[in-house]
Amino acid sequence: FDQIMNIRKKLLEMGDIQLACLHMILFDSGARRNEVAQVKKSGLLDGNKTNIVIGKRGKQFPLVYLDDTKELIRQYLDERGSDNIDGLWTVGNNGNKREATYENLYDKVMKIREVFCELEGKELNIFPHAYRHSRTEVLLQGLDTRILDSNGNPRKFTLEEVQTFLHHENPSTTQGYAKDHSEDIIDGMFNF
């Protein structure tokens, strides 16, 4: 989670609000690239969900994002100004601006990857689907400080909740996205 927020901060410092939005929507929603590519700009500021997208096996659902990401979207749309492009993501400049393709989103994530590698000081193999894995881990471990439980602590979600959120049919698929924490559990049992 800290890495995600550090990348967000750096992208904003660089003045690339569209990349910051993409970064946070990929993370917040845990969505696949093809799902994020379907996001339309209309109605995004009305709540915390996108338009309905079509996922794997034809499942239809909106993507979810948190309030701070919604504020990024607001800033991005203000900066982008008025245009007749319905999609949220664009490429090109004002004279040649067009809707980004699925492939363009991969290129944008590779730019985010460069920022991440620079921040970490080493080469890292980041790809669009890595956001889905990160979101799973963060929700299961209760690491997102923007989502609090009734005691004011970061909320841990159950495997079943995360499975539903990711639109997985089988909990073992969701479990496969999470890190193995068995050694941490054993260490905790014996206060190591």
Side-chain angles (χ1 to χ4, degrees):
F1 180 73
D2 291 340
Q3 289 172 325
I4 291 292
M5 298 311 281
N6 286 339
I7 295 167
R8 172 195 164 122
K9 180 180 176 187
K10 181 67 173 177
L11 290 169
L12 291 173
E13 287 171 1
M14 294 168 49
D16 201 329
I17 194 148
Q18 182 178 191
L19 277 188
C21 282
L22 175 61
H23 171 69
M24 292 308 298
I25 288 176
L26 279 163
F27 178 71
D28 280 3
S29 68
R32 297 171 183 91
R33 179 171 40 132
N34 69 315
E35 296 160 359
V36 172
Q38 299 172 52
V39 175
K40 305 299 180 200
K41 68 180 180 183
S42 57
L44 277 178
L45 301 177
D46 297 340
N48 291 78
K49 294 182 178 180
T50 68
N51 53 286
I52 301 294
V53 300
I54 300 171
K56 249 182 161 176
R57 290 179 287 288
K59 292 181 186 174
Q60 297 183 22
F61 49 86
L63 306 181
V64 175
Y65 49 89
L66 300 180
D67 285 339
D68 62 328
T69 300
K70 182 178 179 177
E71 183 54 35
L72 279 180
I73 295 167
R74 181 185 321 281
Q75 292 173 22
Y76 166 56
L77 291 175
D78 287 347
E79 179 183 279
R80 179 170 150 181
S82 180
D83 60 43
N84 59 0
I85 300 170
D86 192 34
L88 182 59
W89 316 111
T90 63
V91 293
N93 56 30
N94 288 337
N96 191 26
K97 187 169 37 173
R98 63 189 188 288
E99 190 168 338
T101 64
Y102 174 79
E103 291 79 16
N104 294 139
L105 289 187
Y106 182 83
D107 296 338
K108 288 179 181 296
V109 171
M110 291 303 100
K111 287 181 184 175
I112 296 168
R113 177 190 170 275
E114 290 173 17
V115 170
F116 186 41
C117 292
E118 178 186 318
L119 285 172
E120 293 293 313
K122 59 184 174 184
E123 204 55 34
L124 298 162
N125 188 19
I126 302 300
F127 48 93
H129 211 68
Y131 284 95
R132 197 162 169 83
H133 290 264
S134 292
R135 192 58 173 157
T136 300
E137 183 69 12
V138 165
L139 291 175
L140 289 171
Q141 297 303 316
L143 301 173
D144 191 331
T145 57
R146 302 170 302 160
I147 306 171
L148 305 178
D149 64 18
S150 59
N151 296 320
N153 299 313
R155 182 170 173 211
K156 281 188 177 187
F157 290 84
T158 66
L159 182 63
E160 183 179 69
E161 288 171 322
V162 177
Q163 174 190 346
T164 300
F165 175 69
L166 294 176
H167 305 280
H168 286 155
E169 291 181 13
N170 190 322
S172 65
T173 304
T174 309
Q175 188 65 51
Y177 279 73
K179 291 181 181 175
D180 180 2
H181 292 279
S182 55
E183 288 303 313
D184 296 334
I185 293 168
I186 293 167
D187 288 351
M189 289 171 60
F190 299 101
N191 295 321
F192 294 152

